[in-house]
């Protein structure tokens, strides 16, 4: 059993001007990944990711996730490709429905979020792989679109979801799935199985696929180190490739959690 990659979340409840210190601290502590959220109406995921990458040298930075109703897929591919070319191998973008109430609040909610996510993920992934996209879908309409500057090594494109249909879609069309902290252990186990089955059904079983699982941890708890170790061992045992620890919303400062993760082992 391979040990999973460890990440820590910079929650959007923290002001963006604190991000650079957090990113540098995570890198100095040996944390592999720093994860960002593009929650409405807090911080832009792509701008924040670029800032975190620019002030570090080895840290991998991920956005889990970018709500697809908010951007044209061609624009999303352009922005992801730009970041990936500037910081090769260190950027991990994730896509998802977004919180539907927020999407409605900004006038971007669609009648079929699953159709949008499927069309969008497929188009963005094709563009990042240097393909010309010509599609007339229900929501995604691109005519002879190709990136002038696709990344030499396209970043893995992840899809975040809770429900089985979205998790299955990730296995079918994406390079990984993001399972958030509201899911029980049984639901995470089920999600791993659903994504794997969908990947096999799509003929992609031999392709690299990352399963990212979020775990919320109170860094002030006296047993935080044991909780972290237990979560890593348990989730590795059911197929998680990446385990991301997030501080609580009431105490969003990630620095104590970074210190706790750095001490394990």
């Amino acid at each position: 059993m391979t040990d999973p990659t460890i990440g820590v979340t910079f929650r959007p409840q923290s002001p963006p001007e604190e991000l650079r210190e957090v990113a540098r601290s995570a890198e100095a502590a040996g944390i592999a990944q720093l994860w960002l959220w593009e929650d409405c109406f807090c911080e832009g995921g792509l701008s924040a990711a670029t800032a975190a990458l620019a002030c570090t040298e080895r840290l991998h930075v991920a956005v889990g996730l970018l709500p697809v109703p908010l951007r044209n897929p061609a624009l999303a591919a352009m922005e992801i490709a730009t970041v990936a070319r500037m910081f090769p191998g260190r950027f991990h973008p994730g896509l998802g429905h977004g919180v539907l109430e927020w999407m409605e609040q900004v006038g971007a909610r669609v009648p079929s979020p699953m159709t949008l996510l499927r069309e969008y993920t497929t188009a963005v992934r094709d563009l990042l792989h240097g393909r010309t996209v010509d599609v007339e879908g229900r929501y995604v309409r691109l005519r002879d679109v190709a990136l002038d500057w696709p990344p030499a090594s396209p970043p893995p494109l992840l899809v975040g979801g809770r429900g089985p249909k979205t998790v299955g879609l990730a296995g079918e069309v994406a390079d990984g799935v993001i399972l958030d902290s509201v899911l029980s252990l049984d639901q995470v186990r089920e999600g791993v199985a659903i994504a794997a089955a969908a990947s096999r059904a799509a003929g992609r079983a031999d392709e690299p696929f990352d399963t990212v699982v979020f775990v919320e941890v109170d860094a002030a708890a006296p047993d935080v180190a044991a909780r972290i170790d237990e979560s890593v061992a348990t989730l590795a045992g059911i197929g998680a490739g990446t385990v991301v620890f997030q501080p609580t919303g009431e105490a969003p400062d990630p620095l104590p959690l970074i210190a706790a993760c750095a001490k394990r082992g």
Side-chain angles (χ1 to χ4, degrees):
M1 181 175 63
T2 304
D3 287 341
T5 301
I6 303 301
V8 171
T9 299
F10 179 87
R11 295 184 65 126
Q13 287 84 4
S14 295
E17 59 268 24
E18 295 179 1
L19 176 58
R20 285 173 294 181
E21 178 190 357
V22 169
R24 292 178 183 131
S25 297
E27 181 168 76
I31 303 298
Q33 296 183 357
L34 181 67
W35 281 72
L36 310 171
W37 299 348
E38 191 171 66
D39 281 359
C40 295
F41 301 93
C42 298
E43 298 154 4
L46 290 164
S47 54
T50 304
L53 288 161
C55 70
T56 56
E57 296 180 358
R58 301 175 306 279
L59 183 70
H60 287 222
V61 177
V63 183
L65 45 77
L66 301 168
V68 298
L70 295 183
R71 291 181 183 83
N72 182 280
L75 175 60
M78 289 164 56
E79 292 182 330
I80 291 170
T82 299
V83 179
R85 286 184 67 101
M86 290 193 295
F87 307 99
R90 295 174 55 205
F91 181 46
H92 305 262
L95 305 176
H97 301 300
V99 177
L100 297 183
E101 289 79 7
W102 291 341
M103 299 303 101
E104 185 171 3
Q105 189 176 355
V106 299
R109 184 168 180 170
V110 298
S112 179
M114 285 296 300
T115 302
L116 171 60
L117 186 57
R118 175 184 295 279
E119 293 179 354
Y120 194 108
T121 304
T122 301
V124 170
R125 191 170 185 271
D126 282 346
L127 289 168
L128 292 175
H129 281 257
R131 303 178 187 121
T132 298
V133 177
D134 203 328
V135 61
E136 186 72 20
R138 180 174 178 182
Y139 300 111
V140 174
R141 301 179 180 90
L142 301 175
R143 187 176 69 251
D144 197 29
V145 175
L147 297 180
D148 283 6
W149 297 104
S153 297
L157 189 63
L158 312 176
V159 163
R162 297 176 180 176
K165 291 183 179 179
T166 307
V167 173
L169 178 65
E172 183 181 348
V173 302
D175 301 304
V177 65
I178 305 167
L179 304 172
D180 76 19
S181 63
V182 305
L183 301 177
S184 68
L185 187 59
D186 284 343
Q187 288 173 316
V188 170
R189 187 179 288 108
E190 181 183 16
V192 171
I194 289 171
S199 183
R200 288 193 300 270
R204 305 182 60 218
D206 295 331
E207 297 181 19
F209 189 85
D210 192 15
T211 300
V212 180
V213 182
F214 279 83
V215 180
E216 186 166 280
V217 175
D218 180 1
D223 61 344
V224 61
R227 170 80 190 279
I228 289 172
D229 286 338
E230 179 183 2
S231 295
V232 170
T234 300
L235 294 171
I238 61 176
T242 302
V243 179
V244 182
F245 293 99
Q246 64 187 55
T248 65
E250 294 74 23
D253 181 6
L255 292 177
L257 192 52
I258 288 171
C261 288
K263 292 177 181 177
R264 61 178 305 270

